[in-house]
């Protein structure tokens, strides 16, 4: 078995190397000759307290340097002992490739980098919270495909209750309904031993059906029920005046702050408290945990319910945190991208958050590129986050280890 | 009803547990889903009389007339085709959520091939277009199979991403000059020429009866899937890898190849579903022409217990729900999204027999309910 695993890992390392080399060569051939002029990245607005000069990058030379680096990283993958750093290499390689791509698109034009980073953070929120929900439930060995549905439920509830009783009530209700679906998932897989993936698919289909039904049956007629207030950005005094960092990190709405705080709390809970240790034990070896007197069923119920609440909070972002109204199927696969973020982040809350930031960046990048008027059709730009998800899942899986009992039902003897 | 079942059991037509699995659970699942659907309607302010009207419309729209039966079969064919593919995947231990994307790719390829072969006689154009659909679906699905086999990327995530990619790809391709209808700026394909169309079967009775030759294709695929799964070596390998991947590998089966082949065949079936839609019903490809077939097919495959004959029955049931749902929307003004709720509830009851046993304990023999406790 271990020889097989090594072989698979070696093959994966080589695929990573191949991807990086191909990317480097393609950049040198296609992008570098077509990037005349200097790319101007605006870092601050004229009204800022401490203005920073614009960042000027010469197009062609920068892309040639990046292609050389990519080829170097790719070749390194074929040398001995590369497997250890393979994921990191892939991450760095993709990051600089994206930077080069951005320079290519901006060459001869100017563009607000700070604005894009700010949008990245905003767009990372539902993915980060979805990923965090995934971490919380998979750490107790419950695979949660239903995150997409929980996000959608949160978005819907946020809009409905937010319209009726105000934003805070909407947020509380969204969290509660997310938790309810978490509880339903736990009940289905723990008590009724339903296949975990089918249970998740059920939640997704059910929530999509229910919210679309109410949306077309009720919201069409009573539009006032789908007109919720939006949480405005809160700027942190002094810190928000910092150049670049200020607008990006300290002038956001409660969902962005919430995602960071929850990721920190989850890390503390899972790795520094007794309850977290028990939860992880349930995920790794439920029988051993049971023998030591940990209530496996109750632990799974609680953690999956909390995961649902986190996803409900993330779902409220779609309505209370951005547009204030619910549209059918508005989550658009963010829950699944969140699962990819969880895998990319190696089942660690902070890792999932960082991975979500990468996806959020890809998402806002494609929006900005569409505005910059690149020759690439907008449909292909819109695919970028999904392609990135596939590359990440293909490149990282197998290296990152899921909780040992992940996906397996536990039957008490 | 229980008495009748007792008699059927005492007559040894079916073993008791078989009867429970194949008849009692699906029937309870269906009834419970309808009851819960009525509760959802009641909760959204639909009055009792309208709820009655809607369920009457559901029956009338699905089996109430020749036209209703024609609509049911028309809606069932693609669900059965895509459901067969998913069932094959489930048997091989692959949870392929990507049927929707495979339906899109298959349908698009069938349109392209149909237009290209339009001048040929139907005996070449039609099979050519159908085959193109199957191949495109197979190719698109085998991407996920390849990723799973080579890198270990879980097919659930990669197929969902491939679905999302396929929507964008469809939007893009429908605007390319090769595919887009002449003189149009919006994404819409050229019409499939008559020679590549699946002929309507009952047009001599009434040209509005949409049921078409795709139902024969569907029945042939049910037989093929049955043969493949239970009579062929490949099917045995699929089932062996699905039951116990490690044992299958030690028995000398090539796990990677099995995964890729299983995904490819599943994709071919879903591609056929797409081809069936564009060649038999829609006449062209437009954004969203897949209409969630790939997702409903998941429910069909689950309800059919991943058995080709079961998938056939489940597909007809879901086709009936869809045809009836449209009638319901017309007669009672209840949104067709209600059908999606009912379908998802059917899945949950089918996939969690313990839940059905907990809700309806009197339908089952006492000893077996003991499993659900503690």
């Amino acid at each position: 078995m271990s020889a097989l695993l090594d072989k698979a890992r070696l093959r994966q390392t080589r695929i990573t190397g191949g991807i990086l080399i191909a990317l480097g060569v393609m950049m040198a051939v296609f992008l570098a000759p077509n990037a005349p002029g200097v790319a101007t990245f605006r870092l601050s607005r004229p009204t800022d307290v401490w203005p920073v000069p614009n960042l000027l990058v010469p197009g062609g030379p920068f892309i040639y340097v990046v292609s050389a680096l990519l080829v170097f990283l790719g070749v390194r993958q074929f040398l001995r002992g590369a497997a250890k750093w393979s994921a990191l290499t892939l991450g760095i390689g993709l990051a600089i490739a994206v930077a080069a791509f951005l320079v290519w698109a901006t060459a001869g034009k100017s563009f607000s980098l700070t604005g894009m980073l700010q949008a990245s953070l905003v767009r990372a929120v539902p993915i980060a919270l979805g990923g965090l929900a995934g971490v919380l439930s998979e750490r107790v060995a419950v695979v949660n495909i239903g995150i997409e549905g929980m996000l959608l439920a949160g978005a819907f509830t946020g809009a409905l209750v937010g319209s009726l009783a105000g934003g805070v009530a909407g947020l509380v209700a969204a969290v509660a309904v997310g938790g309810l679906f978490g509880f339903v998932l736990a009940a289905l897989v723990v008590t009724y031993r339903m296949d975990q993936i089918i249970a998740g698919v059920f939640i997704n289909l059910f929530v999509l059906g229910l919210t679309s039904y109410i949306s077309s049956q009720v919201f069409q007629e009573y539009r006032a029920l789908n007109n919720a207030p939006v949480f405005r950005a809160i700027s942190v005094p002094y810190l928000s005046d910092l150049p670049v960092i200020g607008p990006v990190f300290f002038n956001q709405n409660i969902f962005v702050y919430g995602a960071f705080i929850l990721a920190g709390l989850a890390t503390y809970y899972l790795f520094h408290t007794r309850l977290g240790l028990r939860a992880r034990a349930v995920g790794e070896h439920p029988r051993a945990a049971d023998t030591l007197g940990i209530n496996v069923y109750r632990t799974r119920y609680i953690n999956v319910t909390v995961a649902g609440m986190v996803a409900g909070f993330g779902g409220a972002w779609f309505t209370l945190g951005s547009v204030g109204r619910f549209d059918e199927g508005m989550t658009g696969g963010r829950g699944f991208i969140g699962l990819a973020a969880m895998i990319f982040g190696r089942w660690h809350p902070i890792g999932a958050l960082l991975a979500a930031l990468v996806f959020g960046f890809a998402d806002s990048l494609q929006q900005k590129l569409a505005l910059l008027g690149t020759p690439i059709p907008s449909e292909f730009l819109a695919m970028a986050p999904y392609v990135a998800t596939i590359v990440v899942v293909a490149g990282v899986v197998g290296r990152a280890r899921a909780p040992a009992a992940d996906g397996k039902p536990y039957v008490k003897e | 009803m229980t008495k009748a079942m007792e008699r059927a059991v005492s007559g040894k037509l079916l073993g008791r547990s078989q009867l429970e699995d194949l008849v009692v659970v699906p029937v309870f699942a269906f009834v419970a889903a309808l009851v819960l659907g009525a509760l959802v309607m009641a909760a959204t302010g639909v009055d009792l009389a309208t709820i009655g009207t809607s369920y009457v419309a559901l029956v009338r729209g699905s089996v109430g007339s020749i036209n209703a039966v024609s609509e049911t079969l028309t809606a069932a064919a693609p669900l059965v085709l895509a459901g067969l593919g998913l069932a094959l995947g489930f048997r091989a231990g692959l949870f392929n959520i990507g049927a929707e994307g495979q339906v899109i790719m298959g349908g698009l390829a069938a349109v392209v091939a149909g237009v290209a072969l339009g001048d040929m006689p139907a005996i070449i154009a039609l099979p050519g277009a159908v085959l193109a659909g199957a191949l495109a679906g197979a190719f698109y699905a085998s991407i996920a199979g390849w990723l799973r086999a080579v890198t270990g990327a879980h097919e659930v995530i990669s197929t969902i991403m491939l679905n999302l990619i396929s929507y964008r790809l469809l939007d893009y391709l429908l605007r390319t000059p090769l595919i887009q209808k002449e003189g149009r700026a919006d994404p819409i394909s050229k019409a499939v020429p008559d020679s590549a169309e699946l002929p309507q079967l009952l047009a001599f009775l009434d040209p509005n009866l949409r049921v078409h030759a795709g139902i024969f294709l569907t029945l042939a695929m049910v037989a093929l899937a049955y043969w493949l799964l239970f009579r062929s070596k490949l099917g045995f390998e699929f089932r062996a890898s699905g039951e116990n991947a490690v044992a299958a590998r030690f028995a000398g089966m090539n796990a990677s190849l099995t995964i890729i082949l299983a995904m490819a065949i599943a994709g071919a079936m879903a591609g056929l579903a797409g081809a069936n839609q564009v060649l038999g019903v829609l006449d062209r490809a437009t954004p969203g022409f897949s209409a969630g077939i790939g997702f409903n097919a998941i429910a069909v495959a689950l309800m059919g217990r991943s058995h080709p004959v079961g998938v056939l029955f489940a597909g007809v049931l879901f086709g009936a729900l869809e045809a009836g749902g449209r009638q319901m929307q017309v007669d009672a003004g209840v949104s067709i999204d209600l059908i999606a709720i009912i379908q998802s509830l059917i899945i949950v009851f089918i996939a969690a027999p313990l839940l059905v046993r907990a809700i309806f304990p009197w339908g089952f023999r006492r000893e077996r309910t003991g499993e659900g406790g503690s």
Side-chain angles (χ1 to χ4, degrees):
Chain A
M1 276 311 277
S2 123
L4 250 165
L5 207 70
D6 280 350
K7 213 175 131 194
R9 186 169 283 201
L10 195 67
R11 189 162 52 172
Q12 216 169 15
T13 311
R14 297 209 161 130
I15 291 172
T16 308
I19 292 176
L20 290 174
I21 292 175
L23 212 58
V25 171
M26 267 160 58
M27 291 215 148
V29 175
F30 295 113
L31 296 191
N34 300 317
V38 173
T40 309
F41 294 103
R42 290 197 305 278
L43 295 179
S44 55
R45 283 164 303 179
T47 52
D48 278 3
V49 180
W50 291 304
V52 201
N54 290 338
L55 183 66
L56 303 174
V57 182
F62 181 79
I63 297 174
Y64 279 122
V65 170
V66 165
S67 344
L69 258 173
L70 283 174
V71 173
F72 168 72
L73 288 175
V75 171
R76 252 203 44 156
Q77 290 292 297
F78 290 92
L79 303 179
R80 268 188 62 197
K84 208 173 161 192
W85 299 103
S86 194
L88 186 68
T89 310
L90 182 68
I92 293 173
L94 290 179
I96 60 171
V98 168
F101 190 71
L102 195 56
V103 166
W104 167 75
T106 322
K109 299 178 197 121
S110 99
F111 153 89
S112 166
L113 188 64
T114 309
M116 191 186 76
L117 291 177
Q118 194 175 13
S120 305
L121 224 64
V122 171
R123 293 177 165 273
V125 165
I127 300 171
L129 291 167
L132 191 55
V135 171
L136 286 171
S137 52
E138 296 215 358
R139 280 287 178 176
V140 290
V142 174
V143 172
N144 193 344
I145 296 286
I147 290 171
E148 177 79 2
M150 295 173 188
L151 286 178
L152 196 59
F156 175 82
T157 313
L160 179 64
V161 179
S163 310
L164 288 171
V168 176
L171 189 60
V172 171
V175 170
V177 169
L180 172 71
F181 279 105
F183 183 82
V184 168
L185 178 68
L188 289 175
V189 303
V190 175
T191 303
Y192 297 108
R193 269 173 259 144
M194 194 171 160
D195 182 282
Q196 298 187 349
I197 290 179
I198 298 178
V201 169
F202 156 70
I203 287 181
N204 292 337
L205 291 178
F206 178 75
V207 173
L208 181 64
L210 189 65
T211 54
S212 304
Y213 169 76
I214 299 177
S215 177
S216 56
Q217 194 78 14
V218 181
F219 285 0
Q220 295 284 9
E221 221 171 311
Y222 306 97
R223 289 180 193 279
L225 289 179
N226 192 11
N227 185 17
V230 174
F231 284 98
R232 299 277 158 222
I234 304 167
S235 61
V236 180
Y238 307 114
L239 287 174
S240 62
D241 290 339
L242 292 171
V244 188
I245 296 171
V248 173
F249 288 101
F250 299 110
N251 189 19
Q252 299 273 18
N253 66 20
I254 55 164
F255 292 96
V256 178
Y257 300 135
F260 279 85
I261 292 168
L262 284 175
L265 279 179
T267 308
Y268 178 75
Y269 158 70
L270 280 174
F271 300 102
H272 300 281
T273 65
R274 189 179 298 186
L275 278 175
L277 179 65
R278 288 178 182 170
R280 285 184 292 135
V282 166
E284 295 291 342
H285 201 318
R287 184 144 331 266
D290 195 5
T291 313
L292 292 173
I294 299 170
N295 188 331
V296 175
Y297 292 171
R298 193 172 65 199
T299 308
R300 286 191 175 169
Y301 262 100
I302 292 173
N303 275 272
V304 177
T305 305
V306 171
M309 292 166 77
V310 170
F313 176 70
W317 172 87
F318 288 94
T319 48
L320 298 174
S322 67
V323 289
R325 53 164 289 141
F326 178 81
D327 291 311
E328 293 178 18
M330 72 190 301
T331 46
R334 294 317 201 296
F336 298 115
I337 298 180
L339 282 179
M342 168 196 76
I343 296 171
F344 195 18
R346 304 188 167 202
W347 284 269
H348 190 290
I350 301 293
L353 177 70
L354 294 176
L357 289 174
V358 173
F359 287 117
F361 183 79
D363 206 358
S364 75
L365 182 70
Q366 58 100 357
Q367 291 238 315
K368 297 284 167 178
L369 285 178
L371 292 178
L372 279 173
T374 55
I376 301 171
S378 63
E379 289 91 354
F380 285 89
L381 293 175
M383 284 177 205
Y386 310 135
V387 176
T389 304
I390 291 183
V391 170
V392 160
V393 173
V396 178
V397 142
R399 281 169 232 284
R401 201 182 61 81
D406 210 7
K408 297 190 188 88
Y410 176 67
V411 184
K412 199 174 157 70
E413 274 172 350
Chain B
M1 191 172 162
T2 338
K3 284 286 172 210
M5 281 174 193
E6 295 285 1
R7 253 178 276 129
V9 172
S10 56
K12 298 283 180 229
L13 287 172
L14 280 171
R16 173 85 202 204
S17 66
Q18 254 182 319
L19 180 82
E20 286 177 356
D21 268 2
L22 292 174
V23 180
V24 180
V25 170
V27 167
F28 276 133
F30 187 61
V31 172
L34 285 182
V35 170
L36 286 171
L39 288 179
V40 169
M41 280 194 272
T44 50
V46 177
D47 60 76
L48 214 57
T50 318
I51 294 176
T53 319
S54 29
Y55 280 159
V56 170
L58 194 63
V59 175
R60 229 163 53 77
S62 52
V63 292
S65 62
I66 293 191
N67 185 48
V69 173
S70 156
E71 286 302 303
T72 293
L73 294 178
T74 309
L79 293 174
V80 175
L81 284 169
L84 286 174
L86 295 178
L88 285 175
F90 294 165
R91 290 278 178 164
L94 291 167
F95 206 80
N96 166 15
I97 314 232
E100 186 77 359
Q102 296 144 23
V103 167
I104 287 178
M105 289 299 149
L108 196 60
V111 170
V112 173
V115 170
L117 296 172
D119 299 332
M120 302 276 191
I123 192 107
I124 298 174
L126 179 56
V130 170
L131 194 66
L135 287 178
F139 169 74
Y140 204 61
S142 54
I143 297 175
W146 181 82
L147 284 169
R148 168 70 196 267
V150 174
T151 69
H154 201 285
E155 72 279 3
V156 169
I157 292 179
S158 59
T159 52
I160 288 167
M161 291 303 132
L162 286 169
N163 284 345
L164 293 166
I165 290 171
S166 74
Y167 302 146
R168 306 294 188 285
L169 204 57
L170 177 69
D171 281 353
Y172 172 74
L173 290 174
L174 285 177
R175 283 178 203 275
T176 55
L178 183 69
I179 298 173
Q180 193 175 29
K181 189 178 178 193
E182 298 87 347
R184 292 287 288 263
D186 53 330
I188 182 167
S189 81
K190 296 186 173 85
V192 176
D194 288 346
S195 58
E197 268 181 23
L198 287 162
Q200 275 173 288
L201 297 177
L202 298 176
F204 62 91
L205 284 177
D206 177 357
N208 290 327
L209 294 176
R210 295 198 297 170
V211 65
H212 57 83
I215 59 171
F216 298 127
L217 177 70
T218 306
L219 290 175
M221 286 302 137
V222 171
L224 179 68
Y226 184 86
W227 176 83
L228 185 71
L229 208 48
F230 298 112
R231 296 283 181 270
S232 75
K233 180 164 168 276
L234 189 62
F236 177 72
E237 290 186 350
F238 286 176
R239 286 184 290 137
S241 336
E243 294 284 335
N244 190 337
V246 178
R249 193 178 304 146
F250 281 115
M253 295 174 192
N254 184 340
S256 300
L257 193 65
T258 307
I259 289 173
I260 297 176
L261 277 177
M263 280 304 284
I265 294 174
M269 295 279 186
L272 282 178
N276 174 79
Q277 285 308 88
V278 295
L279 303 177
V281 183
L282 303 166
D283 210 26
R284 57 165 47 86
T286 48
F289 79 89
S290 52
I293 289 167
F295 295 115
N296 292 337
I298 298 173
V300 168
L302 290 176
M303 183 162 190
R305 300 240 179 245
S306 301
H307 188 292
V309 179
V311 169
L312 177 64
F313 283 114
V316 172
L317 175 70
F318 273 52
L321 280 174
E322 207 180 301
R326 285 196 291 263
Q327 190 71 39
M328 194 174 86
Q329 195 157 17
V330 174
D331 283 9
V334 171
S335 163
I336 195 165
D337 291 316
L338 184 76
I339 298 300
I341 302 177
I342 291 176
Q343 288 172 340
S344 69
L345 289 169
I346 291 179
I347 301 183
V348 79
F349 291 127
I350 295 277
L354 289 180
L355 182 64
V356 177
R357 279 164 214 271
I359 301 175
F360 303 104
W362 57 86
F364 301 93
R365 205 163 28 178
R366 194 57 59 70
E367 299 91 319
R368 290 181 64 97
T369 57
E371 283 176 20
S374 75

